[in-house]
Amino acid sequence: MDPHVSLGGPGDLASRIYRQLREAILDGRLRPGERLPPSRELARRLGVSRNTACTAYERLTAEGFLLPRVGAGTFVAEPTTPAGAVRRGAPQGRGVRPRPFWDDLPDTAESPEPPRYDFRVGRPDGDLFPLATWRRLLAAELRASTVRTSGYGEPAGHPALREAVARHVGLSRSVRADAGDVVVTQGAQQALDLVGRILIEPGDRVAVEEPGYPPARLLFASLGARVSGVPVDDEGLDVDALPSGTRLVYVTPSHQFPLGTPMSPARRAALLDWAARHDAVIVEDDYDSEFRFGQRPLDPLQSLDRDGRVVYVGTFSKTLLPMLRLGFLVAPASLRPALRAARRLTDWQGDHAAQAALARFIDSGELSRHVRKATRVYADRRERVLTALRGDLSDWFEPVPSAAGLHLCARLRPDVPVDLGRMSAEARASGVAVESLEAYCAEDRSRSGLVLGYGSIRAERVTEGLRLLTHHLATQVRETHRELDKALNYDFPA
């Protein structure tokens, strides 16, 4: 890569070139072993004499920054970066500021090294992904003839994938859709963003489940919506608790996130009726619906909708891999033009090669085979988690009934003296990563429990990891009891 050199600044031309190249080497922009352009080429590009460029190179060579090789060129010498050298970054002054909303968001950067016992939520097992098949399908879409004729495509997504998605969700979930109803997205989060962009004005009321999916709440708030949490019970969202003036309702009716309970038929009918009476839109997030471990799933809200008020959102992030960034939405006809326009204005179309490969993956039956195989693997891990919840952990937790997905929720039993936030931090220090139910509660912090994912942990580690978790729980309970006993037996002075 040719370095950028500016001829501005103090000193003669050779000194200016020398100084900028030296700075690029010291801060790491030019790395050891990289080849610099020939002095004749550099001089021509900068509009200076070749002697000026040679003078800068000779000075850098004399100081050990460059290494000339006869017949090969001039290279950055190794090592060149002294201890403590810092790569030059963007200006660090106060400058401009984002809206206050963005100042309060937590840093979600993760450690590159996963925990030994990973019970985190929403993480499929990458080892189950049929990599050889996917590589073959993707390579077929990157032929020279395909690349030669490529251009900007349809914002709604690759036509073959939209056809495949419509058939797939129609067969597997009874969703009523054809290719024209489908908009391909980069995961469910982009689908929510597109829906929010075309429907939400600043100040509009949006209702989400409580507890619920934090990224959805934060996304709608970032668009200027007033977000209200609506309680969830064993039948799903409490429709009677929806605030008046709500423009959009976000729900996960197949298995509520994070509790895992499905929305009852009566609640589904009530929610659809409520939306029709209040001129509201329902966003139905049907994540993880492919992985089922019992009982026939209820029909999605989209298939029951007769008024065109439900936007159905799905993703392949859990079915395949999050890194593929492939999802979709199925929208009523009244919203489709705006959704396609919003997609064009944001990232236009996504990766059409990956979309075409996924279409072939679905149409060939590979997706169904992969889901069946993965479901058997996840079922084994799920059963091991349930065994622990009904055994060693039963004194503290009660599992929430759930028949689908890649996690289980367990409520903390009443009067168990455990600080789950503190316990989770202590467990993480010993390699056990778990998430507390409170992390999914934005308004009602009275719910206590654990959300245990089993997507990315090997079956043989589930029992051992939960045994370590039991140890941390028992230790904290004993410490809490000792502290209570000390407080009760304390002799207060007269």
Side-chain angles (χ1 to χ4, degrees):
M1 184 182 299
D2 291 341
H4 172 76
V5 177
S6 170
L7 296 181
D12 56 50
L13 291 175
S15 296
R16 299 174 197 174
I17 297 171
Y18 155 81
R19 188 165 53 248
Q20 291 189 54
L21 291 177
R22 180 178 183 275
E23 184 178 335
I25 294 171
L26 286 174
D27 67 23
R29 284 175 288 145
L30 283 173
R31 295 174 297 179
E34 287 198 68
R35 185 177 184 273
L36 268 68
S39 58
R40 188 187 304 277
E41 170 63 22
L42 180 65
R44 184 194 63 76
R45 187 153 51 85
L46 296 179
V48 299
S49 70
R50 186 185 178 194
N51 185 58
T52 298
C54 287
T55 300
Y57 275 14
E58 289 168 1
R59 184 174 174 185
L60 289 166
T61 300
E63 294 180 4
F65 290 101
L66 297 183
L67 180 65
R69 296 175 185 167
V70 177
T74 302
F75 298 82
V76 178
E78 185 174 1
T80 58
T81 306
V86 179
R87 184 182 175 94
R88 185 180 67 176
Q92 299 300 306
R94 290 187 59 83
V96 295
R97 302 293 302 169
R99 289 190 289 118
F101 171 85
W102 297 101
D103 285 329
D104 298 330
L105 290 185
D107 184 1
T108 56
E110 295 184 357
S111 168
E113 190 67 29
R116 179 171 175 78
Y117 305 101
D118 192 354
F119 293 101
R120 292 175 296 175
V121 175
R123 298 163 189 271
D125 189 342
D127 289 339
L128 300 178
F129 180 68
L131 181 59
T133 301
W134 181 259
R135 184 186 290 122
R136 172 174 54 80
L137 293 172
L138 191 58
E141 298 301 328
L142 292 174
R143 298 186 305 270
S145 58
T146 305
V147 173
R148 192 179 305 117
T149 59
S150 67
Y152 291 106
E154 164 60 44
H158 195 287
L161 181 56
R162 288 155 55 204
E163 288 274 5
V165 166
R167 285 193 302 272
H168 173 66
V169 295
L171 286 171
S172 64
R173 294 294 290 122
S174 297
V175 171
R176 296 180 294 115
D178 59 28
D181 302 319
V182 176
V183 176
V184 179
T185 64
Q186 302 215 60
Q189 198 68 13
Q190 188 187 41
L192 300 182
D193 181 60
L194 293 176
V195 173
R197 284 174 184 270
I198 69 166
L199 289 175
I200 297 173
E201 297 278 4
D204 280 352
R205 177 76 64 188
V206 170
V208 298
E209 296 166 320
E210 175 75 12
Y213 183 53
R217 169 187 280 272
L218 292 172
L219 173 63
F220 295 133
S222 76
L223 296 173
R226 295 177 296 155
V227 182
S228 298
V230 179
V232 173
D233 58 25
D234 292 341
E235 290 191 71
L237 183 85
D238 183 356
V239 178
D240 291 336
L242 283 167
S244 60
T246 295
R247 171 65 170 147
L248 183 150
V249 183
Y250 170 79
V251 289
T252 54
S254 293
H255 59 117
Q256 198 277 331
F257 187 89
L259 298 178
T261 52
M263 182 182 286
S264 70
R267 289 282 176 85
R268 291 170 188 246
L271 179 57
L272 289 168
D273 178 68
W274 186 95
R277 287 186 289 107
H278 291 81
D279 191 26
V281 176
I282 300 170
V283 177
E284 177 180 17
D285 190 342
D286 203 21
Y287 80 104
D288 281 5
S289 60
E290 293 87 353
F291 301 120
R292 301 203 68 83
F293 310 103
Q295 75 185 64
R296 181 178 175 81
L298 297 171
D299 288 339
L301 290 167
Q302 194 271 353
S303 69
L304 304 173
D305 177 27
R306 295 294 179 266
D307 298 312
R309 297 196 171 276
V310 176
V311 179
Y312 181 92
V313 172
T315 179
F316 296 97
S317 293
K318 310 299 185 297
T319 318
L320 297 175
L321 287 177
M323 66 179 290
L324 297 181
R325 305 313 305 144
L326 288 167
F328 61 93
L329 60 82
V330 177
S334 59
L335 298 182
R336 288 200 294 271
L339 286 167
R340 287 195 292 265
R343 183 75 202 273
R344 181 183 292 109
L345 291 176
T346 51
D347 74 340
W348 197 288
Q349 67 187 38
D351 183 346
H352 263 211
Q355 292 176 22
L358 179 56
R360 291 172 179 262
F361 190 78
I362 296 171
D363 289 340
S364 65
E366 290 290 345
L367 177 62
S368 297
R369 284 189 284 274
H370 168 68
V371 169
R372 287 194 296 270
K373 175 185 174 183
T375 300
R376 290 193 294 271
V377 174
Y378 293 139
D380 179 30
R381 302 176 188 179
R382 179 178 181 273
E383 190 58 37
R384 292 174 187 241
V385 174
L386 279 172
T387 298
L389 289 173
R390 293 164 178 162
D392 293 344
L393 292 169
S394 60
D395 289 341
W396 299 297
F397 295 101
E398 177 185 7
V400 178
S402 174
L406 296 180
H407 73 269
L408 284 165
C409 184
R411 293 189 181 99
L412 186 68
R413 293 189 183 278
D415 303 322
V416 175
V418 172
D419 180 345
L420 290 179
R422 174 184 152 198
M423 186 279 300
S424 298
E426 293 173 353
R428 183 60 184 264
S430 63
V432 183
V434 295
E435 299 179 21
S436 73
L437 180 57
E438 290 183 12
Y440 297 93
C441 300
E443 299 173 20
D444 179 10
R445 294 283 180 169
S446 64
R447 299 182 190 238
S448 292
L450 290 179
V451 187
L452 298 166
Y454 46 79
S456 61
I457 185 170
R458 297 291 184 89
E460 60 271 17
R461 290 187 176 179
V462 171
T463 303
E464 185 180 351
L466 292 178
R467 190 178 296 120
L468 271 172
L469 184 66
T470 303
H471 168 73
H472 285 288
L473 281 162
T475 300
Q476 190 176 127
V477 169
R478 285 195 299 270
E479 291 176 354
T480 303
H481 281 309
R482 279 198 296 268
E483 292 170 1
L484 288 172
D485 289 342
K486 284 176 62 177
L488 291 172
N489 293 328
Y490 183 79
D491 293 329
F492 291 94

